[in-house]
Amino acid sequence: MSIASAVYSGPAMPTHNRWTSVIGSGLRLRLQGRTRKLSDLRYWRDHTAALQRAQLRRLLEHASHTVFGRERGFARIARCTDRDIVDAFRASVPVADYEGYRALINRMRDGGEPDVLWPGLVMDYAQTSGTTAGDKYIPVTREMLRSNYRSALDIFAHATRFGVSLPFVMGGKVLFLGGSTDLTVNPHGVRTGDLSGIVTPLIRWPISEIYAPGPSIALMSHWPSKIEAMARQCLDQDIRMINGMPSWALVLMDRVLELARERGRIGPGDAIDKVWPNLTLFVHGGVKYAPFEARVRQRYSGSPDGPDIPFRLELYPASEGFIALQDTRNDPGLRLLADVGNFYEFIPLDEIDAALRGDTAGGRGRAFTCETVEPGVRYVVTMTTCAGLFRYVIGDVVEFDTVPRDLTGRGGWDARAGFGPGPCRLRIVGRHRHFINAFGENIIVEHIENAVAKAAVGLERAGLSIGEFTAAPVYPQGGRRAGLELALEVGNADGTAAHLSAAALADLARAFDDAIKVQNVDYTTKRTDDVGMAPPTISIVPLGTIHRWMQSRGKLGGQHKCPRCANHRDYIDGVLALAGC
C-alpha cells in the first residue's frame, strides 16, 4: 500500500499511473537532450550573449519586408556583425510602450492589414488590461505560439532536473488555472481574447486526456462560477500538477476543501493532501511567491510551517512571450529564456521615462543586453518578439543574480559571494508604474511583498489566514500625517472574519514597518524619529475583499493581478470603501 492510499479515505483514488503515464515517458525521452543542455551551466554562461544576437538577427530578417521593417532598415541591420548588430538596431528603432504601437496594431487587428509589423495577417491577439494604457491587444503569431511551446517544454525539462517524475505526474490529471477561452472574431476573421483562449483549442489528444478542467469549464468567463465548476469537477479527480497564479490556486483549494468536508470526505483539520494525495508539482508565476508560501503550506498540509507541495517551479510569463524560468530548486533566480525566439534589453528604472521620450542627452535612456547589466541595479524589461514588437517596454522591473560572459568570453558575475559567472538569472521586483514615492520613500512592490510575508508570520502561526493586500501613501490632511497604509485581508482559518486586538494590530504594523526599513534606506530616513513619515497604518479587511473589488472593475480572472502598491490612493480607497472601512 502506498502512503497516498494510507491517508486517503474518500472514493477510490488511483495510487498507480494510468495509461497516460506513457505521455510522461515519451516527453521525458524527447527532452533528454534539452535537459542535458539546460544542465550545462558553462554552455549558458559562455553562449547566452551570442544566442541573443542570433535571435535578434532572425527576427530582423523575418520582418525585413514588413512596413515597419522596411522603414527601419531591418535587412541592412541584419547583415551587421554580432559586435555591431545591437547598436545598429538601437540607432534605428526607438524604445516604445503600447502607445507607440497602438496605431500599427489597430491597422493589423481592426483593419485586417497584413505585413505591418510581422509577415502576413496576424490572426490572434491577446487582450490584456494595462494600468496606464487601458486595454491592450498583443499580437500572437504562429512563431510566438511555437516559442511558448518550446518554453513550456523547458518547464518540464527543468522539472525533471529538479527530480520530478513525468510519468508519475502525467499518470493523473494536470490542472491549468488559465483565463477564459472565449474569443471574439471580427469581420476579418481576426480573433481576440485571453491568451488561454488562443492556446486551449490547440490542446489535442493525448494531452487532452490529462488536461483539467477541460474545454467546457475553461470556456467560462465568469470567474466565481468557473472556480465553483472547477472545484466540483476536480474534487474527485487525481490532480497531480497545478499550473496557475498562487492566489487563484488558493481560492480553488479553499472551495475544494469546503466541498470535501460537506461530503464527509475529510475531517475538519484535514488539508488538500488528503483530497489530492498524489499532488506533486505546483507551477506558478505572475506574482511573487513569498507572501503566499505559508498559505499554500496551510492548505496543502494543514500548517503554515508544515510540508509544502513536494515540487514547485516558478515561471516568468507575459502576454508578449515567456521570459524566464526557475532553473534551480529552492532558488528564486529565474533563468532567461535566451534561445526561444525573443531578444531582451534592460533599461535602468531611473532612465525608463527618458528612454520612452527619446531623450538620450547626457547618456540618459541607456539600454543593456543581458551580459552587460550590473549588480544592484533595477531594470525595466524591454522585448523584441517573434510577434512583431520591437524594443517594446513590458513594464516589469527586475534585478539580476547571475550574468553571463560577453561575446569575447570575458566579464560576467554572480551576485552571490564566492560564485563566478553563470547563466543569466533575474528576479522580478515590481512594475515601473507601481511604486510609492510620495515623500521620497522610494518603495517598490518587492519591499511591500517581503514586508507582508515577514510581518504575517505571527498571524499565520496563530491560525489566521492572510489574503491579498495593497498599499498606498497617506497624504497629510484632516489631522492625518504623511505615511504609508496597507490594506490587508485577514480571516480565520475557516474563512470567517477575524478581529485583531489593538495590541496585535500594533505588533503587525511594527513588524511591517521594520521589514521595510531593513530593505529601504530612504524609507528608514523618512521614518527616523517619526519626523518625515508617521508609522504605517494597517487596515484589516475581510478575506475576498480585494477579489470583489477587482470583480467590480471587470478585472477578475486568471491573468489579472492585484496591484501591490500605487503612488495614488485610487486602489486602496476602492478596497476600503467596499469593506466599509
Side-chain angles (χ1 to χ4, degrees):
M1 177 181 293
S2 70
I3 295 175
S5 61
V7 300
Y8 185 70
S9 58
M13 177 70 68
T15 57
H16 59 279
N17 295 346
R18 301 185 302 150
W19 69 265
T20 53
S21 63
V22 300
I23 300 173
S25 298
L27 183 58
R28 181 180 59 190
L29 182 63
R30 176 179 179 178
L31 293 175
Q32 279 183 347
R34 181 64 173 177
T35 303
R36 283 195 298 270
K37 179 175 279 190
L38 291 172
S39 299
D40 185 354
L41 302 187
R42 289 185 181 179
Y43 174 83
W44 299 99
R45 178 196 68 188
D46 296 340
H47 293 92
T48 294
L51 286 168
Q52 273 289 275
R53 280 153 182 81
Q55 311 309 302
L56 176 59
R57 190 182 309 281
R58 282 196 287 267
L59 292 168
L60 296 174
E61 290 171 345
H62 197 71
S64 61
H65 297 295
T66 63
V67 172
F68 192 83
R70 289 195 301 270
E71 289 177 351
R72 301 293 174 175
F74 280 4
R76 171 185 55 81
I77 299 170
R79 291 192 294 270
C80 292
T81 65
D82 278 2
R83 179 179 176 180
D84 299 327
I85 190 171
V86 174
D87 287 341
F89 178 54
R90 290 171 177 166
S92 180
V93 181
V95 171
D97 56 14
Y98 189 78
E99 285 305 313
Y101 281 96
R102 186 184 292 276
L104 293 171
I105 291 175
N106 287 346
R107 286 168 59 180
M108 298 160 60
R109 177 177 170 269
D110 299 333
E113 184 177 346
D115 303 318
V116 178
L117 289 168
W118 198 251
L121 177 60
V122 178
M123 299 300 297
D124 294 297
Y125 292 82
Q127 183 174 357
T128 69
S129 298
T131 56
T132 58
D135 283 350
K136 299 183 289 186
Y137 302 96
I138 305 301
V140 180
T141 61
R142 289 187 297 272
E143 292 81 2
M144 178 55 71
L145 291 174
R146 175 64 181 171
S147 173
N148 288 349
Y149 172 72
R150 292 173 60 193
S151 302
L153 291 179
D154 276 3
I155 294 172
F156 290 106
H158 282 302
T160 298
R161 295 179 61 243
F162 290 5
V164 174
S165 168
L166 297 185
F168 180 79
V169 166
M170 295 185 183
K173 289 284 189 176
V174 176
L175 175 61
F176 289 88
L177 300 175
S180 170
T181 62
D182 196 15
L183 299 174
T184 61
V185 183
N186 73 9
H188 303 287
V190 172
R191 298 173 289 268
T192 301
D194 192 281
L195 186 59
S196 301
I198 299 170
V199 174
T200 300
L202 303 178
I203 298 175
R204 296 287 188 267
W205 188 91
I207 299 301
S208 57
E209 293 292 327
I210 62 172
Y211 166 67
S216 60
I217 294 176
L219 182 67
M220 299 172 67
S221 57
H222 184 250
W223 198 254
S225 300
K226 185 173 184 174
I227 286 288
E228 180 68 19
M230 201 179 299
R232 290 183 179 277
Q233 183 195 74
C234 295
L235 175 62
D236 296 322
Q237 291 183 326
D238 182 16
I239 302 297
R240 300 192 181 188
M241 169 180 160
I242 297 175
N243 185 332
M245 291 175 59
S247 55
W248 289 114
L250 286 167
V251 171
L252 176 66
M253 288 181 188
D254 284 343
R255 184 55 183 147
V256 167
L257 289 171
E258 288 175 1
L259 290 171
R261 292 184 183 113
E262 288 173 5
R263 299 179 185 185
R265 293 267 304 275
I266 59 173
D270 289 333
I272 209 74
D273 62 343
K274 300 299 190 294
V275 181
W276 295 329
N278 296 320
L279 179 59
T280 300
L281 176 62
F282 182 24
V283 177
H284 56 86
V287 294
K288 189 179 180 70
Y289 187 73
F292 296 97
E293 181 173 358
R295 281 184 284 160
V296 173
R297 290 176 182 270
Q298 175 77 45
R299 302 309 189 278
Y300 176 71
S301 61
S303 169
D305 299 315
D308 197 353
I309 297 171
F311 294 92
R312 289 192 293 104
L313 195 153
E314 184 172 357
L315 316 178
Y316 180 5
S319 298
E320 295 81 4
F322 264 94
I323 298 169
L325 299 174
Q326 183 180 5
D327 71 333
T328 304
R329 194 177 182 191
N330 300 322
D331 187 312
L334 308 177
R335 187 192 298 186
L336 190 72
L337 290 161
D339 65 343
V340 297
N342 299 312
F343 174 71
Y344 309 92
E345 296 173 272
F346 306 94
I347 300 172
L349 177 59
D350 58 4
E351 299 182 32
I352 185 62
D353 291 330
L356 287 168
R357 293 194 305 268
D359 179 8
T360 57
R364 292 190 294 265
R366 298 169 298 166
F368 296 82
T369 49
C370 64
E371 78 279 6
T372 60
V373 293
E374 299 175 356
V377 177
R378 297 188 182 109
Y379 296 92
V380 179
V381 179
T382 303
M383 293 181 68
T384 293
T385 77
C386 50
L389 299 176
F390 301 92
R391 307 200 75 201
Y392 178 82
V393 176
I394 69 168
D396 292 323
V397 179
V398 300
E399 287 188 19
F400 289 84
D401 290 340
T402 314
V403 171
R405 289 174 173 164
D406 62 21
L407 290 171
T408 68
R410 294 191 293 268
W413 51 265
D414 192 319
R416 301 167 298 180
F419 292 85
C424 180
R425 292 192 184 98
L426 52 82
R427 290 171 290 107
I428 308 167
V429 298
R431 295 277 295 173
H432 87 275
R433 298 299 185 195
H434 288 185
F435 60 88
I436 301 175
N437 194 28
F439 316 108
E441 63 272 43
N442 289 314
I443 293 173
I444 63 172
V445 171
E446 184 182 44
H447 298 152
I448 298 295
E449 291 179 326
N450 289 342
V452 169
K454 189 76 172 178
V457 169
L459 297 180
E460 288 163 336
R461 287 177 176 166
L464 296 176
S465 183
I466 308 302
E468 296 284 1
F469 52 89
T470 190
V474 174
Y475 294 102
Q477 60 180 356
R480 295 187 76 181
R481 293 183 54 207
L484 175 67
E485 183 171 10
L486 176 73
L488 177 66
E489 293 182 349
V490 180
N492 294 312
D494 60 3
T496 58
H499 301 283
L500 271 65
S501 66
L505 196 57
D507 288 343
L508 179 65
R510 189 178 305 109
F512 178 72
D513 188 36
D514 290 343
I516 296 182
K517 288 177 180 177
V518 168
Q519 305 173 80
N520 186 323
V521 66
D522 293 325
Y523 178 79
T524 302
T525 300
K526 299 296 181 296
R527 285 284 298 114
T528 301
D529 296 328
D530 295 350
V531 174
M533 293 175 66
T537 300
I538 309 291
S539 297
I540 303 300
V541 299
L543 293 172
T545 299
I546 291 179
H547 282 169
R548 290 195 299 273
W549 169 74
M550 292 173 68
Q551 184 177 18
S552 73
R553 301 173 69 240
K555 306 296 183 184
L556 190 67
Q559 304 303 316
H560 296 295
K561 307 169 190 175
C562 169
R564 293 304 190 205
C565 64
N567 206 36
H568 55 74
R569 292 192 57 85
D570 295 351
Y571 300 153
I572 198 168
D573 284 346
V575 169
L576 296 177
L578 188 61
C581 298

